Structures are given as C-alpha cells and as structure tokens.
Amino acid sequence: MAAVGLTFVWRLLRSGPRPGLCGAGGREPGAAPRRAIGHGRVAVELDSSAGVAVMKMENLPVNSLSLDFLTEFLISLEKLENDRGCRGVILTSGAPKIFSAGLDIMEMYGKSAEHYAEFWKAVQEMWLRLYQSNMVTIAAINGSSPAGGCLMAMSCDYRIMAENPKYSIGLNETQLGIVAPFWFKDTLVNTIGNRATERSLELGLLYSPPEAHKIGLVDQLVPEEKIQSTAAAVMSQWLAIPDHARQITKSMMRKPTVDRLLAHRESDIQNFVSFITKDSIQKSLQMYMEMLKQRRG
Amino acid sequence: MAAVGLTFVWRLLRSGPRPGLCGAGGREPGAAPRRAIGHGRVAVELDSSAGVAVMKMENLPVNSLSLDFLTEFLISLEKLENDRGCRGVILTSGAPKIFSAGLDIMEMYGKSAEHYAEFWKAVQEMWLRLYQSNMVTIAAINGSSPAGGCLMAMSCDYRIMAENPKYSIGLNETQLGIVAPFWFKDTLVNTIGNRATERSLELGLLYSPPEAHKIGLVDQLVPEEKIQSTAAAVMSQWLAIPDHARQITKSMMRKPTVDRLLAHRESDIQNFVSFITKDSIQKSLQMYMEMLKQRRG
Amino acid sequence: MAAVGLTFVWRLLRSGPRPGLCGAGGREPGAAPRRAIGHGRVAVELDSSAGVAVMKMENLPVNSLSLDFLTEFLISLEKLENDRGCRGVILTSGAPKIFSAGLDIMEMYGKSAEHYAEFWKAVQEMWLRLYQSNMVTIAAINGSSPAGGCLMAMSCDYRIMAENPKYSIGLNETQLGIVAPFWFKDTLVNTIGNRATERSLELGLLYSPPEAHKIGLVDQLVPEEKIQSTAAAVMSQWLAIPDHARQITKSMMRKPTVDRLLAHRESDIQNFVSFITKDSIQKSLQMYMEMLKQRRG
C-alpha cells in the first residue's frame, strides 16, 4: 500500500526543489514542529468564535500515514469531536506540494505480524472516525493526494482542490501491483459512482484537478492561494444547517458502508497481514526502499 | 416536515401578488372547485382517446399535503389505475407558482398520536402508489417543489420543469432541523446518485431549474407556457412502448426500494409519531405558526 | 429477445446495400470463413508479441447470438483465457454495419423446452465468462449493437464506438414487448447508473454514438477507420497494469453482480423457458418471421 505513496514521493523528490530530505514517511530530521500541538505531526488551530478547527498535517516531507501519525491524527480528531465548541474541521496539509502520500511503507516492512495488525487497525480507525465524524469535515487539498491520501479526502463532507496542474489525486494502488481494500472501493463508489470507480481502480488512475472535478472526485477547484479562504467560506454554509439534522442525515447516508467494514474488520486485518508478510511482497518492498535510498544518495 | 412547506409558503406569500390567502395547507375560503372531481382538491381530466389523464392539484394556496388532500389524491389515482382506458397520468399544479409545498404542518400540530400515525401512513401510501404506478406518470412541475413536493415529482417516471428562475426543487428538510425519511433518501439516490444525494440532503439544497436539470433531478426544462403541451408530447412517446413490458421493467427497477419501506413501514410510522409528539418539536411548530399568523396579519 | 435483433436486422436489410442475404441469424450461404478458427463464426487472431487477441465475430449477416455461435464464442474465449501468452482481447465485428444484433430468434421458435433451456444457459454463460474475464477486454463497436449485442459490449472493460451516425446501441427490449433479464439490467446500472437505466429500459432506448458516449454507455468515440488502432492503443495502456492486481480489483467490482445471477441461475432459465413457450409468444414470433420472409422475398 505504502509503495503507492513511495513511488509518488520518489517522483516528487526527484523533480522537486527540496534536496536532502530524509526517510520516506518519517519527519525531516531536525525540523521543529510549527504551531503544532502534540508531537507536531498534526497542527490544530481552533477558531472558537467560528467553531471551526484547521487540522494541518505536518508529517514531513509527504504526510505519509505512519502509525505514529495516525495515532496523533486520531487523538486530535477525537479531542475536537468531543469539544462542544468545535462544529467543523478543515483538513489540509502543511507539507509543500502534497496533501498526503498515503500509507507509510516503513510500517509494512520488516516488522512483526502484530505490528502490521496494529497498523492496519489504525488505518481502519482513521477512516471510520473521519467518514462518520459528527463535525462538518472539509478537505482543502493543497497538494497531491494518492492512495490513502485520496481516501482521507474522500472521507470528508466536501473536497476543495487547488487547481495546480502538478497535483493529482486518485486510488492508484493497482499501478503498483496492489489492490485497494474493499472499503476504499466502497468510498470511491459512493463518491464517483460504479463505472467511474471500475475504470479508476482497474487502471489505478491519478487525476489532474480538472479531471477529478469532472468525475466528481473533488467538488470544487480554486486557485492555490484561495484554498483556505474558500474552505472557510464553504464551511460557514455547511454550519448554517442545524447540526443534529445534518448529523442524522450523514449517518443515514454513510452507515451502511461503515457497517460493511465493521462486519469484516478482523478478516480485513488478517487479509492485510497475510498479504504483507508474504516473502515476495517483503522482497519487493526491500528493493523498493533500496532504490529510493540510492536515488536520494 | 411540514415546516419545510411552511417556510416556503411564507416566503411566497410575502413576496407574492396574492394577499389575503388564508390558512396554510387549507383551501382558499369560498374558492369554488374548478372542473374538479371529488372535493375539489384534485381536478382530474381524462382524455379517453389518448388514454391520458391530467391530475391537477388544487389544494390552494400551495398544494400542501394534508390528510384530506392525500386521501383524495389516492382515491383519484386508484380510480385511474383501475380504469383500462387510462394508461398515463400527467401530474401538475393548479396553484400559482407552486407545484406542492410538501407536507401540511397543520397535520402535525396539536393532534393525537393516532392522527399522526394515520397521516404518516397516508404519506407513505402516496409514495408507494405513485412510485409503483402501472401507468406512465409524468410530472409537469409548474412551480416550486420543496420537500414532499419534490418527493411527488421524483416518484413519477419523468419530470419536466418550467424554467422559471423563481422556482426551485429539492429535499430541503435539514435546513429546518428535520431529517428526510430513509425512503425519501432512497428515492433521491435512485434519481441523482449517491454523492449528489449526500450533499443535497446534508445541506437541504433547493435547486434552480438549471441546477436541477444539471444533476438529473428533473429530466427536461421548458418555457412555462409549453409545459403542458410538452408533457403531452413526451407522454405519447412513453405510450408507444407496450404497457406490459414497461410495467414489468419499472417494477424490476423500483421494487427493491419499495420493499425497503414495506419491510419497515410500522417502525417508520412509529419514528414519525415519536418525533412529532416531542414537546420541543410541538413547541417550535407552535412558534412557527404564530409567526406565520403575525406576518400575515 | 431475438425479436429485438430481428427488427433491427430487418431495418438494416431493407435500407442496406446487401441484397439477397439469407436466414436471420444464419451464415451467408457459401461464404467461406476467413482466417477464422473453428467453424468460422469467430475469427481469432493472437498477436503473441503483444499478448493481445482480436476476436472478430463473423456470424453473418448480423452476428446474431445463436446457440452455435455462442458455443464457438465460449470455446474461443476459454482457449484465450487459458493461454498464458494472451493477456487482452479486443472484441469486434467482421459483419458490415453491425456489432451484434443480439439473441437469435431462430433459437426461440418451434423448439423443445430442453432446447430453450440449453440456449438460455449459453447466453448466461457468455455473460458470466465475458463479464468476469481475467483478460483485459475491449469492445471495438464497429456497428450497431442492440439488446444482447449491447450486453456483450457492456461486459467488456472498455468500450470504443465508431462515430457513425447510422449506428446505435442500447437495451431496446421493451420496444418489442419483452423485458430485459435482471442481469442485463444490473449490468446496465453498473455502467450508466440507476436513473439513466430506468429511463433507458422503460423506453427501450437505442442511443446514437454521441448520446451513448454522453451517458457513459460507451467510453470513447473514434472515426470508424481508427477503431482498431485505437483499441490496440488503449489495450496497451490497460496492459501496463500488473495483471494480478487488476484481476482482483475487477473481481471485487463485478462479483456481487455475478453472484446475483449464480444464485438465481436455474429460476432465470425457467423464467425464460416458460415465457418463450407461451402460445402467444410463439405465435407472434411466427408472424414476425413470416413478415421477414415476405419483406425479403
């Protein structure tokens, strides 16, 4: 899964203006957390007067979804969820050029089955919490968003994307020889419909902002410098709706999809563990990381 | 639910050219039923040579769905359904500027639990009969159509809307703090798909005719003066198809959605009754009606 | 069902430049099979270097789906499926102006119940094999494609249609008083969504290439002379994806639909047999064929 993120990262690093970045999925060494709360991987700013928080992912360089990041993300989200003063969350990225590169490959290589299971459970939990949040959730997609990053964006109530032609979004798992889990697929079907999902998943398509907008994968495109102000403006429209009615309606729409994962949560974990512990998969992950090291070295 | 209609009605009355209208959901006092059959809330004209009936809703001022209206509507529809000479029905409005304002608030305030249950059963029955009609059903939407009015239109086989920018259509329940029942939601999903429904219901969106056409909530827009002739022309296209094959096909498409309500019909009634009998809801309905009286007084 | 094909065929024959064609659904008498393998109804050319086969339907004049044709089609497909050197199939027509006219009426008239059951099982099998093929399947729709022909095209992974205004595609069964089976319907819903399917099936619509493209029934339009080269180019894009990941993804998308038929396969056959053996249906098929003979005579 993380391979997805990594391929992506690698292309980004090669072409990008930021040499010398360290481990994929890790933090930039020595980079001090900005206004961030917690361990600095998720910076939360709550505007109490508006009742709106901005959650800025800052797991540099590419916001890969490591176990530590997911844990911090879940704690931050839970805090806001329980804060009566917070009715809406804008999810965005503090990393340049990328929203999130998806699952962290480092969590999938050379670890124990117990670790893999714990990691996968955290990925599930991220989706379950975000997709069902009682708050209004708006994704301000200010960078590329492959694989697990796309899942995060799709789990929000509304998606605004910067119309930068260098950015792309999509579930590109098959391009790397892996398969998106059924609940990634369900979320995509709920967003863009069955036929577009079929083609999108079988080809592992990454869409440019205009393409993503055309098929409904994102709801709105804006110039990059306007993404945060647009997100705030859209948020206020959503907050004009009484919370209780909106929450019940959201649950009515999303619960059947959530229930499918809940009914198969353990087998989904087992599937992941037995896939990732295969010799062939571990080997290809190893080669992958060595290639990455050499390219960067 | 009816609150939806009422808010709408109130806006209509304030801005409209027709002062002095009486009780929301009732009939204009002293207004004689036009060519109408029955009690004059539904005027039916059957063109036997074409095999097509026009059902004109005339529950003035805003065709709100009162128990009396629904009962008369159901009797009229049943008669046509059993009339071998009638193969198609055009559903339209005899009220100015409005197709139907949705459920009647008067049926939901200060009545007994038995009354609420009877009312809700009639609302269900209206949908069940219309959505599964053996006849070709075409909605000629010659006015605004919020909430229950939108449901009626969606239950037809085809929707033609007058392209008057003052008209709007949609399930706007959440805007008033209430939630569309699951079978309203199912009908909307069947019409415009999952993602558009999610956004539409969570925000309680009312769409202008071009917007409604763009998302597929209505099938065709025409200048207001051409709506009845267009409906007749479209009807003849539909009637060119052998009835039996069309009916089986329609049932194949719609039966799973109908079966979901039939399987939960009683609990759906109980849900409505326990919601509407809440003190908080009754109080807000009371305030609502007093506000309406003052505005009109 | 075949009536669909036949009506279509008849129109084609009347207007077309090819007089003297013999029995509907049969082969042109004396026509020698071209490079075809087997009995010449399906010509298969495998390009081993590309790993791509072209299956050209040559059941002249209109590629109607007779039992013999279906049997040969299934054998050819199975061979390719088991050939490790073949990863993709382009399905196209060797008949002028038509992709496939759908089910063969001759298989539905004056035969035994056993024959009808055997025939219907072959139709099911064609869909089951094609819809679930492990290979990449691309339909190069170089002619009209009503009813069963449309089903074949929809069962592929991707559809390219020649933008010839004389061609059309769709499930037009109701136009002839018959009903598309539920799995035809399911396949159409999977392709164009619920509302478009509802309208399409109830009216038995045949779409022009631009209309078919607009609703998503075909994925791409090209000038007629470029259809084979475009299919080959698109195929190479699909083959860039690792087979295993694509196959599992395809199965995840399509298995629930396939399982619905598998769960009701026998009753679906019984439905067909009891429908087709009705006196009224047999009589109308007889009249139909006599009319066809006279027109051609």
Side-chain angles (χ1 to χ4, degrees):
Chain A
M1 201 69 48
V4 177
L6 265 204
T7 298
F8 207 85
V9 169
W10 171 71
R11 288 186 194 137
L12 203 75
L13 296 181
R14 262 207 359 185
S15 67
R18 310 176 74 246
L21 290 182
C22 83
R27 291 171 54 201
E28 206 167 0
R34 285 180 277 172
R35 300 145 306 160
I37 293 164
H39 299 83
R41 293 185 185 88
V42 182
V44 178
E45 260 185 300
L46 173 60
D47 175 346
S48 299
S49 67
V52 176
V54 174
M55 281 181 80
K56 193 177 281 185
M57 299 183 278
E58 299 194 331
N59 195 24
L60 300 179
V62 294
N63 288 331
S64 50
L65 308 178
S66 64
L67 183 53
D68 280 350
F69 173 80
L70 288 169
T71 305
E72 192 177 328
F73 180 87
L74 283 164
I75 290 170
S76 300
L77 188 66
E78 187 75 5
K79 267 189 204 161
L80 296 173
E81 202 79 64
N82 294 328
D83 184 339
R84 290 192 164 209
C86 183
R87 298 172 59 214
V89 167
I90 294 167
L91 181 63
T92 193
S93 167
K97 297 193 288 174
I98 196 142
F99 182 73
S100 163
L103 307 190
D104 188 344
I105 197 174
M106 300 304 286
E107 304 291 2
M108 308 197 227
Y109 175 70
K111 304 280 194 305
S112 67
E114 287 70 31
H115 180 86
Y116 297 142
E118 191 191 6
F119 173 62
W120 197 247
K121 204 171 176 179
V123 177
Q124 293 176 334
E125 198 68 21
M126 177 273 286
W127 178 72
L128 290 167
R129 298 285 175 182
L130 197 54
Y131 199 59
Q132 297 190 99
S133 173
N134 269 323
M135 299 178 285
V136 174
T137 50
I138 293 180
I141 310 166
N142 54 348
S144 284
S145 201
C150 177
L151 181 75
M152 285 190 115
M154 287 195 296
S155 304
C156 292
D157 292 316
Y158 194 79
R159 282 158 288 288
I160 303 165
M161 190 169 187
E163 51 192 5
N164 184 329
K166 289 186 183 161
Y167 298 165
S168 64
I169 184 169
L171 295 182
N172 58 329
E173 279 81 352
T174 48
Q175 282 211 14
L176 296 139
I178 53 181
V179 176
F182 75 89
W183 42 284
F184 284 51
K185 179 263 291 176
D186 287 346
T187 309
L188 188 58
V189 169
N190 288 351
T191 309
I192 65 171
N194 188 84
R195 170 57 189 156
T197 295
E198 197 175 69
R199 198 173 151 236
S200 177
L201 286 188
E202 289 195 40
L203 290 169
L205 295 176
L206 286 171
Y207 298 94
S208 69
E211 289 165 342
H213 185 244
K214 194 181 172 199
I215 63 167
L217 184 52
V218 302
D219 296 300
Q220 193 176 348
L221 299 181
V222 293
E224 187 142 16
E225 67 276 15
K226 294 200 174 164
I227 193 162
Q228 305 304 338
S229 60
T230 305
V234 169
M235 178 62 82
S236 69
Q237 292 167 11
W238 282 73
L239 292 181
I241 304 299
D243 285 341
H244 192 62
R246 186 189 46 70
Q247 287 159 356
I248 297 174
T249 301
K250 181 172 177 175
S251 171
M252 179 168 66
M253 293 303 299
R254 298 191 166 187
K255 193 167 178 301
T257 308
V258 162
D259 286 347
R260 269 199 293 278
L261 176 56
L262 293 181
H264 301 96
R265 192 166 184 179
E266 276 312 311
S267 66
D268 185 60
I269 292 173
Q270 288 318 311
N271 280 346
F272 174 74
V273 172
S274 67
F275 170 78
I276 211 70
T277 50
K278 275 183 189 161
D279 280 352
S280 59
I281 299 294
Q282 285 291 307
K283 233 173 214 167
S284 71
L285 290 179
Q286 186 185 13
M287 283 167 58
Y288 206 80
M289 289 186 296
E290 277 167 11
M291 185 193 73
L292 279 173
K293 273 185 206 166
Q294 287 176 356
R295 301 272 176 180
R296 279 197 238 105
Chain B
M1 202 71 47
V4 178
L6 264 203
T7 299
F8 207 86
V9 169
W10 170 73
R11 288 187 194 138
L12 203 75
L13 295 180
R14 261 207 0 185
S15 66
R18 311 176 71 246
L21 290 182
C22 84
R27 292 173 52 202
E28 207 166 358
R34 286 181 275 172
R35 299 145 307 159
I37 294 165
H39 299 82
R41 292 185 185 88
V42 181
V44 178
E45 260 186 300
L46 174 58
D47 176 347
S48 299
S49 67
V52 176
V54 174
M55 282 182 78
K56 193 176 280 183
M57 298 183 278
E58 297 194 331
N59 195 25
L60 300 179
V62 294
N63 289 331
S64 51
L65 307 178
S66 65
L67 183 53
D68 281 350
F69 173 81
L70 288 169
T71 305
E72 192 177 328
F73 180 87
L74 282 164
I75 291 169
S76 299
L77 189 66
E78 187 74 5
K79 268 190 203 159
L80 295 173
E81 203 79 65
N82 293 327
D83 184 340
R84 291 193 164 206
C86 183
R87 298 172 59 213
V89 168
I90 294 166
L91 181 63
T92 192
S93 167
K97 297 193 289 176
I98 197 141
F99 182 73
S100 163
L103 307 188
D104 188 345
I105 197 172
M106 301 303 287
E107 304 290 4
M108 308 197 227
Y109 175 70
K111 305 280 195 305
S112 67
E114 287 72 29
H115 180 87
Y116 298 142
E118 191 191 5
F119 173 62
W120 197 246
K121 202 172 177 179
V123 178
Q124 293 177 334
E125 197 68 22
M126 176 273 287
W127 178 73
L128 290 167
R129 298 283 177 183
L130 198 54
Y131 198 60
Q132 297 190 100
S133 174
N134 270 322
M135 299 179 286
V136 174
T137 51
I138 293 179
I141 309 166
N142 54 348
S144 282
S145 201
C150 177
L151 181 73
M152 284 190 114
M154 286 195 296
S155 304
C156 293
D157 291 315
Y158 195 79
R159 284 157 287 288
I160 303 165
M161 189 169 187
E163 52 192 3
N164 184 329
K166 289 187 183 161
Y167 298 164
S168 64
I169 184 169
L171 295 182
N172 58 328
E173 280 81 353
T174 47
Q175 283 212 11
L176 295 139
I178 53 181
V179 177
F182 75 89
W183 41 285
F184 284 50
K185 179 264 290 174
D186 288 345
T187 309
L188 188 58
V189 169
N190 288 351
T191 308
I192 65 172
N194 188 84
R195 170 59 190 156
T197 294
E198 197 175 69
R199 196 171 154 238
S200 177
L201 286 188
E202 288 194 42
L203 290 169
L205 295 176
L206 287 170
Y207 298 94
S208 70
E211 289 166 341
H213 185 245
K214 194 181 171 199
I215 63 166
L217 184 52
V218 301
D219 296 298
Q220 193 176 348
L221 300 181
V222 293
E224 187 141 17
E225 66 276 15
K226 294 200 176 166
I227 192 163
Q228 305 304 338
S229 60
T230 305
V234 168
M235 179 61 81
S236 69
Q237 292 167 11
W238 283 72
L239 292 181
I241 304 298
D243 285 341
H244 192 62
R246 185 189 47 71
Q247 288 159 356
I248 296 174
T249 302
K250 181 172 176 174
S251 171
M252 180 167 67
M253 292 302 299
R254 297 190 167 188
K255 193 167 179 300
T257 308
V258 163
D259 285 347
R260 269 198 293 276
L261 176 56
L262 293 180
H264 301 97
R265 191 165 184 179
E266 275 313 310
S267 67
D268 184 60
I269 292 173
Q270 288 318 311
N271 280 347
F272 174 73
V273 172
S274 67
F275 170 79
I276 211 70
T277 50
K278 274 183 191 161
D279 280 352
S280 59
I281 299 295
Q282 285 292 306
K283 233 172 214 168
S284 72
L285 290 178
Q286 187 185 14
M287 284 167 58
Y288 205 79
M289 288 185 298
E290 278 167 10
M291 186 194 69
L292 279 173
K293 273 184 204 164
Q294 288 175 356
R295 302 271 178 178
R296 279 197 238 105
Chain C
M1 202 69 48
V4 177
L6 265 203
T7 299
F8 206 88
V9 170
W10 171 71
R11 287 187 194 138
L12 202 77
L13 295 180
R14 260 206 2 185
S15 67
R18 312 177 72 247
L21 290 182
C22 82
R27 292 171 53 201
E28 205 167 359
R34 285 181 277 172
R35 300 146 304 160
I37 295 165
H39 299 82
R41 292 184 185 89
V42 181
V44 178
E45 261 185 300
L46 173 59
D47 176 347
S48 299
S49 67
V52 177
V54 175
M55 281 181 80
K56 193 177 281 183
M57 298 183 278
E58 298 193 331
N59 195 24
L60 302 179
V62 294
N63 288 333
S64 51
L65 307 178
S66 64
L67 183 52
D68 280 351
F69 174 80
L70 288 168
T71 304
E72 192 177 328
F73 180 87
L74 283 164
I75 290 169
S76 300
L77 189 66
E78 187 75 4
K79 267 189 204 159
L80 296 173
E81 202 80 63
N82 294 327
D83 183 340
R84 291 192 163 208
C86 183
R87 298 172 59 213
V89 168
I90 294 168
L91 181 62
T92 193
S93 167
K97 297 193 288 176
I98 196 141
F99 182 72
S100 162
L103 307 190
D104 188 344
I105 197 173
M106 301 303 287
E107 305 289 3
M108 307 198 228
Y109 175 70
K111 304 281 196 305
S112 67
E114 287 71 28
H115 180 86
Y116 297 142
E118 191 191 5
F119 173 62
W120 196 246
K121 203 171 175 179
V123 177
Q124 293 176 334
E125 197 68 21
M126 176 272 286
W127 178 72
L128 290 167
R129 297 284 176 181
L130 198 53
Y131 198 59
Q132 296 190 100
S133 173
N134 269 323
M135 298 178 286
V136 174
T137 50
I138 293 180
I141 310 168
N142 54 348
S144 284
S145 200
C150 177
L151 180 74
M152 284 190 115
M154 287 195 296
S155 304
C156 293
D157 291 316
Y158 194 79
R159 282 158 288 288
I160 304 164
M161 190 169 187
E163 52 192 4
N164 183 329
K166 289 186 183 160
Y167 297 164
S168 64
I169 184 169
L171 294 182
N172 58 329
E173 280 82 353
T174 48
Q175 282 211 13
L176 296 139
I178 52 180
V179 176
F182 76 88
W183 41 285
F184 283 51
K185 179 264 291 174
D186 287 345
T187 310
L188 188 58
V189 169
N190 287 352
T191 309
I192 65 172
N194 188 82
R195 171 58 190 158
T197 294
E198 197 175 68
R199 196 171 154 237
S200 177
L201 285 188
E202 290 196 39
L203 291 169
L205 295 176
L206 286 171
Y207 298 93
S208 70
E211 290 166 341
H213 185 243
K214 193 180 172 199
I215 64 167
L217 184 52
V218 301
D219 297 298
Q220 193 176 348
L221 300 181
V222 293
E224 188 143 13
E225 67 275 15
K226 294 201 175 163
I227 193 163
Q228 305 303 339
S229 60
T230 305
V234 169
M235 178 62 81
S236 70
Q237 291 167 11
W238 282 72
L239 293 182
I241 303 299
D243 286 339
H244 192 62
R246 187 188 47 70
Q247 287 158 356
I248 296 174
T249 302
K250 181 172 178 176
S251 172
M252 180 167 68
M253 292 303 299
R254 298 191 165 187
K255 193 166 179 301
T257 308
V258 162
D259 285 347
R260 270 199 293 277
L261 176 55
L262 293 180
H264 301 96
R265 192 165 185 180
E266 276 311 311
S267 65
D268 184 60
I269 293 174
Q270 289 317 312
N271 280 347
F272 174 73
V273 172
S274 66
F275 170 78
I276 211 70
T277 51
K278 275 184 190 162
D279 280 353
S280 60
I281 298 295
Q282 285 292 307
K283 234 174 212 166
S284 72
L285 290 178
Q286 187 184 14
M287 283 167 58
Y288 205 80
M289 288 186 297
E290 278 168 9
M291 186 194 71
L292 279 174
K293 272 185 204 164
Q294 287 175 357
R295 301 273 177 178
R296 281 197 238 107

